[in-house]
Amino acid sequence: AGGLAHRGGAVPGWAAEDAVGKVAVVGRPNVGKSSLLNALLGQERMVVNPVAGTTRDSVACEYEWRGEKLLLIDTAGIRRQAAGGEEREELDRAAVAAARVAISQCHVALLLLDAYQGLTRADLAIAGLVTEQQKSCVIVANKADRLHAAGPPPLF
């Protein structure tokens, strides 16, 4: 539906249409979007790999929280154009288009940042995509466990 692959079965007895809220998890490549969803779901539903670009399509999973049925949408990492050859750029354009669709269809976007790398211009650009669509946004800092040894990250 609208460019989303659906991985049902997380919540027995209901369909994606039953969801009262759609939550898109967005961010740069390798900030931990799929890992976060796996942790929330309590199982390895999303493919996780240290190689950037593993998630290519927006994938929706059913999730029940406090009795409410939600649809969690894992999106590909959004990167700037010209981040690698012509074939890579075509894949990136498709991934960004799918992430934009997920943002436009969600009620809330979780903008995942890498706390170790700090807030980047790319993070601000993704936040801009969310605000353009007038969606609610929750900013989530991931990988904070790496901060202790390195000290605070730079602002940009």
Side-chain angles (χ1 to χ4, degrees), residues 6-93:
H6 182 258
R7 291 190 184 158
V11 180
W14 68 279
E17 297 80 38
D18 296 333
V20 296
K22 295 178 185 173
V23 180
V25 181
V26 299
R28 293 180 289 116
N30 279 24
V31 294
K33 296 175 298 296
S34 296
S35 295
L36 173 65
L37 283 173
N38 284 340
L40 287 172
L41 295 168
Q43 55 185 297
E44 299 296 316
R45 300 286 302 284
M46 307 298 169
V47 176
V48 176
N49 192 305
V51 176
T54 301
T55 304
R56 280 280 161 217
D57 298 314
S58 294
V59 179
C61 279
E62 301 156 353
Y63 181 70
E64 191 164 333
W65 182 70
R66 296 186 179 181
E68 298 293 336
K69 298 169 183 174
L70 303 174
L71 199 61
L72 303 179
I73 306 165
D74 187 19
T75 64
I78 300 173
R79 69 172 80 216
R80 64 180 176 81
Q81 289 186 346
E86 188 174 318
E87 182 178 320
R88 177 84 188 188
E89 286 182 37
E90 185 59 37
L91 288 171
D92 288 343
R93 274 193 291 275

